[in-house]
Structures are given as structure tokens and as C-alpha cells.
Amino acid sequence: MRETRNHLLVLEAVHAGPELSRPELAQRTGLSRPTVSGVADELIASGLLEERVSGPRRGTGRPPRLLALAPQAGYAIGLDFGRDHVGWVVCDLAGTALAGGRREVAADASAAENIELVAGLVEDGLEALAVPTELVLGVGAAMAAPIDRPAGELHADNLLPGWAGVRPQPALEARFDFPVVLDNDANAGALGERALGAGAGVDDLVYVRLSTGVGAGLVVGGALYTGGAGMAGEIGHATVVEGGPICRCGNRGCLEAVASPVAVAALLETAGGEPMSVARMIELVAAGDRGAMRAVADAGELVGRAVAATVNLLNPRVIVLGGELAQAGEVLLDAVVRAVARHASPPVAATVEVRLSALGEQAEVLGAAVLVLAEAPRRLVARVGATQARPRSSSAT
Ligand SMILES: [Zn+2]
């Protein structure tokens, strides 16, 4: 038995499925039912698909049997390189996080130090899970800076100083024995929320990451829209305050300069005269502190203004608010909703729903794993007919 185009078609259909009956598979692939059945049986024998009995009986017949990817037929590693943290996760093919974590790092730590740290954590994680490395499909990495395509250069400037002059893909491939895929953190967050969080099943989605960097990940017609050079979604540099503070990009009054969590905390620090961390500001909001709530709501108004322009342009169904500022919760959400309603074209604004991130600080690292899972059918098909490899811990023998 050898892999064929038909095996790939069936794997791709099931991957998009995510659970399909054999007649549904025939319809989606355009293959005949006998062909689909033969291919599905081979994929089951190779350990790549599994059959599940699902749902109520239809009439007097047997309950429908649905095909799905076998979750433990492959694993994806997600990495998240932020300004002051690194994160990692190991997911199965269903996108379930089996292990992961997050470490604070110094903002000026070198790329090499951060890669070494996270590689050690991943190796320990795979070992603890008893995942054989041959079942790892690849590494996805979310980078907290724009990535120029196809050159693969990171615009690290003030965001990831330790990465200046480092091309992430070769640097990661030199340390990991797996294929590496990359995207910036806002795009990864969009993919994470769409696959596993607040945007599940939504084909037109904008994820707004309100962190040290402010940016948006755009999902248009079910696919990530990255633009001509891979840098679409730089909503953080929309001018929202004429003559406002100077931004790191050199312009004045950019959204990032006035509504990043650090910028909002700095306002409170000026008002209160005591040092104010982002974490403390979020605590104050949760405790109902009027000044903190006002500062977050004012930032939300400015976010909403910038988002309204995006809403007019793209007509998304859902806006997901992520990043540390989203931890402020309803205060931020309400302000953004009001500003979008005020500043976007009313009929367009009426069709969009603004939601808070469901994955929180995990959105980017899970999205990085989703980058790998998107390639699962192509990577799995090479295993058709090969001896089944399984995690050592779940071996039946
Ligand atoms: Zn700017």
C-alpha cells in the first residue's frame, strides 16, 4: 500500500471536517463511495484515522459511524516568543494541549538564550508525555514582531531587541529537528482563537492583540490574510489622537502609543504618583477602582475607533480582543463595542460582534501549534502503509 493523491484528499477532508461519515467524505472529495471506503480503511489501518460511533440512531439503522483524525497520530509544538516571556505547548491532532508552560525572560535576552531555554522545556515535555519524536509534525513559532515575507526577516526594532539581525526560521531549525513555521503573534492569536477559542467556526474574524505591541490578525474568507509582504494588520499604528504622544514608529498619536497596556498603566502612574504595573492595573479594574476603569475605558474608545475603520473595510463577523489589556474584561469590551457602534457605518457595525479572547495568554502559543496542524494532512500522508508508531505510554502491548 502506498500513499496516493486520494489518501491526501481524504485526510484533508477529514481534517477540515472534523468528523465525517463515508458518504459525506465521498461528497466532499468527489471520489466514489467504494474508493473512499477503501482509502479510509487503509488510513485506519495506518493509524491515521479512527472511526467513532456518534449521535442518535437514524430510524432503525445502526448509529452513524464518523471518521476523524486519530488525535495521537501526530503532535504539534507551539512556541511563543514575546518581549518578556517565552511560551511552549505540545498539542495532539485535535488541538488539545497536553503539556506546556511559560517563563519570564529579560527583554534583552538573546534569541539564542531564549531558543535554548524553550527547547529544553519542550524536550522535557515530550519526554514526560512519552511522545516519540517521529510523531512530531513540526514546530510553529509566534513572534512578537512583524515578519517580512518571503525574506523571513523579523522587524525586531524595539519589540524583540534580542532578535535583531536574527532570522528566526533557520535559527529554530538549527536547534529543533523538526520543520519550523512562523508567524507574528497577532496572526497566531487569530488562528488560535479561530481554531480553539472565541472565534470557533468563524470565517471572517479580526483578532486585536493589545499588548506591548498592538496589532491585528485578519482571517478573511476562512484564510489568514497576511498582505503583500506579510505585514497586514498593523492597526497599532493607526493615528487615533492628533498630536498625541510620539510612537516607537516615529509617528504621533498611534493607537499603540496610547492604548497598549503599558501606555494605559503609565497614565495611572502619572495620576497616582506611584509605580503601576500592568498586572496591578488589571487588579485595580477587577476591584472596581474608578481611575483604573476610566483609563481602560478611554483606551477602549480609541481601540474601537481604529477597529471601526477595519470593520468598515473588511466587514468581519467577529472581533476578538486579546493581549494583556483584554484581561480588564467587560470595562474594555463595553467601551470598544460603543466606539465601534459610533464610528463604523451603522449597517456594517450591526453585523459584527465584539468578544473577549477565550484563550487569554495561551492564544498565541496555541495558534503557533495550529500553524503546524494546518499542514497535518500533507505530513501524515507519508506515513500511509508505514509501520504504526504510537506513544509509548498508550501502547497496548
Ligand atoms: Zn506608531
PDB file of all heavy atoms in Angstrom, residues 237 247 249 254, ligand 1:
ATOM      1  N   HIS A 237      -0.617  51.207  14.504  1.00  0.00           N
ATOM      2  CA  HIS A 237      -0.042  52.467  14.032  1.00  0.00           C
ATOM      3  C   HIS A 237      -1.046  53.291  13.247  1.00  0.00           C
ATOM      4  O   HIS A 237      -0.689  54.147  12.442  1.00  0.00           O
ATOM      5  CB  HIS A 237       1.272  52.197  13.293  1.00  0.00           C
ATOM      6  CG  HIS A 237       2.219  51.468  14.204  1.00  0.00           C
ATOM      7  ND1 HIS A 237       2.885  52.105  15.219  1.00  0.00           N
ATOM      8  CD2 HIS A 237       2.468  50.140  14.338  1.00  0.00           C
ATOM      9  CE1 HIS A 237       3.557  51.193  15.925  1.00  0.00           C
ATOM     10  NE2 HIS A 237       3.315  50.000  15.410  1.00  0.00           N
ATOM     11  N   CYS A 247       5.211  57.786  18.978  1.00  0.00           N
ATOM     12  CA  CYS A 247       5.191  56.317  18.995  1.00  0.00           C
ATOM     13  C   CYS A 247       6.573  55.779  18.633  1.00  0.00           C
ATOM     14  O   CYS A 247       7.382  56.484  18.049  1.00  0.00           O
ATOM     15  CB  CYS A 247       4.150  55.856  17.984  1.00  0.00           C
ATOM     16  SG  CYS A 247       4.027  54.080  17.775  1.00  0.00           S
ATOM     17  N   CYS A 249       7.257  54.011  16.279  1.00  0.00           N
ATOM     18  CA  CYS A 249       7.407  54.010  14.817  1.00  0.00           C
ATOM     19  C   CYS A 249       7.822  55.383  14.305  1.00  0.00           C
ATOM     20  O   CYS A 249       8.147  55.538  13.136  1.00  0.00           O
ATOM     21  CB  CYS A 249       6.111  53.564  14.140  1.00  0.00           C
ATOM     22  SG  CYS A 249       4.810  54.811  14.151  1.00  0.00           S
ATOM     23  N   CYS A 254      -0.290  57.274  17.630  1.00  0.00           N
ATOM     24  CA  CYS A 254      -0.674  55.930  17.179  1.00  0.00           C
ATOM     25  C   CYS A 254      -1.460  55.219  18.290  1.00  0.00           C
ATOM     26  O   CYS A 254      -1.252  55.485  19.481  1.00  0.00           O
ATOM     27  CB  CYS A 254       0.558  55.092  16.882  1.00  0.00           C
ATOM     28  SG  CYS A 254       1.517  55.651  15.488  1.00  0.00           S
TER      29      CYS A 254
HETATM   30 ZN    ZN B   1       3.208  54.043  15.624  1.00  0.00          ZN
END
